[in-house]
Amino acid sequence: MLGIESSCDETGVGIVRGTTLLSNTVSSSMDEHVRFGGVIPEIASRAHLDAFVPTLQEALHEAGVALEDIDAIAVTSGPGLAGALMVGVCAAKALSVATGKPLYAINHLVAHVGVGLLDGRTGGTSGPGTANLGASGLGAGGRLPEYLGALLVSGGHTEILRIRSITDDVEMLGSTIDDAAGEAYDKVARLLGLGYPGGPAIDKLAKQGSAKAIRFPRGLTQPKYMGSVEQPGPHRYDWSFSGLKTAVARCVEQFEARGEDVPVADIAAAFQEAVVDVITSKAVLACKENGITDLLLGGGVAANSRLRELTGQRCSSAGITLHVPPLALCTDNGAMVAALGSQLIMAGVERSGISFAPDSSLPVTTVSV
């Protein structure tokens, strides 16, 4: 199965055989967006055009297969940036028509869970309460655990999912109602003069500061939003980071107005703790109240050291097994798309054909188009 991913700024092509990872090649255009402080859709789309053929060739070479050896093609059809999605979808359709191979249009978010079924040849990330992917991990026997959840944290998404069946039964339990966590990191990094991307810079600087120096708000944690188990509030499992971003901006302004040096390291540490605290507490709450015993942590922000540490600690305390894929499989990549496509074929799901259109707001409940 050949998988194609182009939902944002990474051009990914991956190849799997069943649940065995053969290759995972990614070309990122992040360096082209640095001077703008964020991803520019038009630049990302043009970068996908330039990178697709070389990335495809490299993936085939690494896997040791020719294009005619491919049985089927899977492509991300949404959610994501409309122009970026269009490039990947058009490339996949062209390959399907040229080779006669069946084409499957899949959901980018559900694909992040699909990596849990790969054999973990590239290794895993372990820590408190974590388990590596592989024969003894999330994808043991090529099957997902019965009571599985997924916490996806990236620049575009922050959500908690319940996975009853990876091919046809995925439910969103909670999500951000404004900024994604990664987006908040980028915006706060800009306020602190740390540049783009903001996640790695804040994570590194936070180690030099005190998370207790400043208390920033935890969005949507008030009783009116949380409610109770018997009467859940309107945002019990949801997140909001826009107010936190504003609080950081006001904090910086106050130091500057007083003519004082801005304690950048302390602000970075306090901000990161606020983000990670509310993400992990609500994710674990959702798992406990919905009978979820295994949790997959994915998305680019899964690289954050404090997020991994605190998620591991809280999952361990709650009796939840945390699974963290290798970093290369947490960020957007073609292998996850191929992995989900492979599952769709084995489940007997009908191919998508070539009449579908990319959908930038494709709901997570739609696994394939």
Side-chain angles (χ1 to χ4, degrees):
M1 171 67 76
L2 175 72
I4 298 170
E5 156 61 26
S6 69
S7 64
C8 191
D9 61 337
E10 281 116 353
T11 307
V13 179
I15 300 173
V16 305
R17 179 183 289 118
T19 57
T20 300
L21 175 62
L22 301 182
S23 68
N24 182 35
T25 304
V26 177
S27 174
S28 175
S29 62
M30 181 179 293
D31 290 345
E32 300 180 45
H33 305 283
V34 169
R35 65 191 178 101
F36 300 102
V39 176
I40 305 301
E42 178 66 17
I43 293 176
S45 301
R46 292 178 181 274
H48 287 309
L49 282 170
D50 293 337
F52 179 73
V53 172
T55 306
L56 172 63
Q57 292 172 334
E58 185 178 344
L60 291 169
H61 176 75
E62 181 184 339
V65 300
L67 194 55
E68 53 266 26
D69 298 323
I70 298 297
D71 294 312
I73 301 166
V75 63
T76 294
S77 64
L81 302 176
L85 289 169
M86 182 67 74
V87 176
V89 166
C90 288
K93 288 182 178 181
L95 282 175
S96 177
V97 171
T99 62
K101 309 295 183 181
L103 178 60
Y104 291 80
I106 63 93
N107 189 299
H108 168 86
L109 300 176
V110 183
H112 273 295
V113 185
V115 299
L117 287 162
L118 296 177
D119 65 6
R121 187 184 71 175
T122 56
T125 301
S126 59
T130 68
N132 290 338
L133 298 182
S136 60
L138 179 58
R143 299 178 60 185
L144 293 173
E146 185 176 2
Y147 303 105
L148 174 65
L151 175 60
L152 306 181
V153 190
S154 70
H157 306 281
T158 303
E159 47 212 5
I160 180 78
L161 310 177
R162 175 163 54 189
I163 317 294
R164 291 192 179 93
S165 168
I166 196 171
T167 59
D168 60 12
D169 193 350
V170 177
E171 178 186 2
M172 181 179 290
L173 299 178
S175 67
T176 177
I177 64 171
D178 40 58
D179 291 353
E183 183 181 3
Y185 266 89
D186 289 338
K187 290 178 177 178
V188 167
R190 192 179 308 139
L191 288 170
L192 298 179
L194 300 180
Y196 174 84
I202 289 179
D203 192 17
K204 180 179 179 180
L205 187 61
K207 293 179 173 64
Q208 304 171 27
S210 170
K212 297 180 180 180
I214 304 167
R215 171 72 182 185
F216 286 126
R218 275 64 167 165
L220 300 183
T221 57
Q222 299 93 330
K224 65 179 179 179
Y225 297 122
M226 295 294 293
S228 62
V229 178
E230 294 77 19
Q231 293 184 318
H235 296 292
R236 188 168 180 80
Y237 306 139
D238 293 332
W239 296 278
S240 171
F241 300 109
S242 61
L244 171 59
K245 174 195 65 183
T246 301
V248 173
R250 297 293 85 81
C251 179
V252 172
E253 290 172 357
Q254 289 168 8
F255 278 102
E256 292 176 339
R258 294 193 297 263
E260 301 175 8
D261 291 337
V262 178
V264 178
D266 286 345
I267 292 176
F271 162 76
Q272 176 162 277
E273 194 65 21
V275 172
V276 172
D277 179 26
V278 73
I279 286 178
T280 55
S281 62
K282 287 206 169 194
V284 170
L285 177 67
C287 289
K288 290 168 62 177
E289 294 183 352
N290 288 276
I292 293 171
T293 58
D294 288 77
L295 181 67
L296 173 74
L297 175 62
V301 184
N304 182 275
S305 62
R306 182 58 178 152
L307 177 61
R308 290 206 307 261
E309 178 185 27
L310 191 55
T311 308
Q313 291 172 354
R314 288 182 167 171
C315 282
S316 181
S317 298
I320 300 165
T321 301
L322 176 65
H323 306 267
V324 186
L327 180 57
L329 296 179
C330 286
T331 53
D332 295 346
N333 63 85
M336 69 183 195
V337 178
L340 178 55
S342 181
Q343 293 300 310
L344 293 173
I345 286 181
M346 289 189 282
V349 176
E350 287 292 322
R351 67 183 71 182
S352 302
I354 61 171
S355 61
F356 69 92
D359 184 352
S360 60
S361 58
L362 186 68
V364 73
T365 50
T366 303
V367 178
S368 61
V369 180

